[in-house]
Amino acid sequence: MGCGSSKAVKVKDKGFPNEVVTKNLVTITLKPSEDKTLGIALESEEDTECQEPCVHKVKEIVPGSAVESSGLRVNDTIVLISGRQCFTLLHDDCVALIKQSIEDNGSVVLGIRR
């Protein structure tokens, strides 16, 4: 399904000075189940305008879901969604980006930090 690797991903850092975006980054490709769901719940610690970095974490992985065997873990921090930094995105924007990637590509690639 998906696999993790510690391969660095080159990303231009926008609005996140002095942060090494690719440090300890694991990439995981997620494909939805037949009903087009991933079976994960995200939680976001953010201010209302993302003036500070927004932190998006995996809150729950539904047992028996498409991603259960992908290597994704509860409390993984999502850093990249299909190559795009998500520190400046609000929760709903992250969810929309994941859905759009699945619609466009049939899967979504997450860059996560543990």
Side-chain angles (χ1 to χ4, degrees):
M1 259 274 202
C3 62
S5 76
S6 55
K7 179 176 78 173
V9 178
K10 192 123 177 149
V11 178
K12 184 174 180 182
D13 195 352
K14 295 180 182 176
F16 207 70
N18 302 319
E19 175 67 15
V20 180
V21 174
T22 59
K23 184 177 181 181
N24 300 322
L25 195 68
V26 175
T27 57
I28 296 179
T29 301
L30 304 177
K31 293 185 179 184
S33 62
E34 289 181 21
D35 65 357
K36 298 185 181 183
T37 62
L38 290 174
I40 60 173
L42 304 180
E43 69 179 346
S44 301
E45 300 169 8
E46 58 194 31
D47 68 20
T48 56
E49 296 178 14
C50 281
Q51 299 286 330
E52 298 295 320
C54 298
V55 177
H56 307 283
K57 291 191 174 197
V58 177
K59 179 179 180 180
E60 177 185 1
I61 297 175
V62 176
S65 66
V67 301
E68 186 177 34
S69 63
S70 70
L72 193 65
R73 301 178 191 164
V74 170
N75 292 322
D76 281 348
T77 300
I78 299 172
V79 178
L80 301 172
I81 300 172
S82 295
R84 181 172 174 193
Q85 286 187 43
C86 56
F87 294 118
T88 58
L89 298 177
L90 295 173
H91 177 84
D92 291 344
D93 296 327
C94 282
V95 172
L97 188 57
I98 289 169
K99 288 179 178 180
Q100 187 64 52
S101 180
I102 290 170
E103 186 176 309
D104 293 347
N105 307 305
S107 65
V108 62
V109 178
L110 300 180
I112 57 146
R113 218 175 259 144
R114 301 209 149 112

